[in-house]
Amino acid sequence: MSVAAIAHLVLPDTPYAMWVRGELEDYLHLPDGTRVEVVGGEIVVSPAPVYPHAAILDDIQRAVHYAQFSDPAYPWRVVQGINLNLIEVADGYIPDLAVVHADIDTQSRADDVLHLLPHQLELVVEVTSKSNADNDREPVFGRRTKATKWSGYARERVPYYLLVDRDPRQPGVTLFSEPDSASGRYGTAETWKFGDPVRLPEPFGVEIRTESWRPWSD
């Protein structure tokens, strides 16, 4: 099913309600590996990531894993491809990566949960793709004034949002913090260029190497 066809599809319930029940992906009859999210109340469909996208995520995971293995008391765990139920904004995301406390990780494994909730996350990571980069960024007046994942994460008070933007027009890494729920905005941003080490502050205290990170090809 094409994106255009999905946009005109009449659903038996809201996209969010179907996503929460785990029915949306099956109803759309999409190919395996397709990621289906609800952003700003709209269905967003993404193909499986290209290799450089996946490799960046691996670099970030390895940095957290190194800290974990170096210090048995390190409290953070990194997971990918989880369902995140944003109840307050009625959206459903699948972050590229999420960092959770070890206690949340242990309990979620034991409970075999279908979704995590925003208050269970300490940090989320998104790497932009050509097809839907605007969904990951701060809303820009005149281009997209509706909610994005950036504003959704802020409104649901996710403490840290790490955005890796592979767009050749504006490549770089930004760590957003100090979310304001009322405005749906992050108050602080720290940025790095590709090639510079990304140092995540406490409570994470890890350094991520980015020498091999590149913008996508036009």
Side-chain angles (χ1 to χ4, degrees), residues 73-92:
Y74 190 72
W76 304 109
R77 303 293 182 265
V78 60
V79 291
Q80 60 178 313
I82 63 164
N83 293 315
L84 181 64
N85 185 359
L86 291 85
I87 296 175
E88 292 187 26
V89 299
D91 274 355

Side-chain angles (χ1 to χ4, degrees), residues 75-125:
W76 304 109
R77 303 293 182 265
V78 60
V79 291
Q80 60 178 313
I82 63 164
N83 293 315
L84 181 64
N85 185 359
L86 291 85
I87 296 175
E88 292 187 26
V89 299
D91 274 355
Y93 303 165
I94 304 176
D96 284 328
L97 290 178
V99 175
V100 301
H101 194 275
D103 293 343
I104 298 295
D105 176 69
T106 299
Q107 192 63 52
S108 299
R109 290 170 184 260
D111 294 344
D112 195 20
V113 298
L114 179 61
H115 306 110
L116 287 184
L117 300 174
H119 74 268
Q120 296 175 299
L121 275 57
E122 191 69 17
L123 178 144
V124 290
V125 179

Side-chain angles (χ1 to χ4, degrees), residues 47-159:
V50 297
Y51 190 91
H53 183 288
I56 287 173
L57 297 176
D58 183 64
D59 291 340
I60 298 170
Q61 289 186 93
R62 283 192 289 114
V64 178
H65 288 160
Y66 179 79
Q68 178 185 345
F69 297 146
S70 299
D71 178 7
Y74 190 72
W76 304 109
R77 303 293 182 265
V78 60
V79 291
Q80 60 178 313
I82 63 164
N83 293 315
L84 181 64
N85 185 359
L86 291 85
I87 296 175
E88 292 187 26
V89 299
D91 274 355
Y93 303 165
I94 304 176
D96 284 328
L97 290 178
V99 175
V100 301
H101 194 275
D103 293 343
I104 298 295
D105 176 69
T106 299
Q107 192 63 52
S108 299
R109 290 170 184 260
D111 294 344
D112 195 20
V113 298
L114 179 61
H115 306 110
L116 287 184
L117 300 174
H119 74 268
Q120 296 175 299
L121 275 57
E122 191 69 17
L123 178 144
V124 290
V125 179
E126 299 286 0
V127 179
T128 62
S129 301
K130 282 184 181 181
S131 60
N132 55 15
D134 283 347
N135 287 319
D136 296 330
R137 301 181 184 128
E138 178 180 358
V140 178
F141 181 76
R143 291 181 58 194
R144 177 179 178 135
T145 56
K146 66 181 70 174
T148 66
K149 296 174 83 170
W150 183 91
S151 58
Y153 288 136
R155 196 167 295 281
E156 294 271 5
R157 298 174 295 280
V158 176

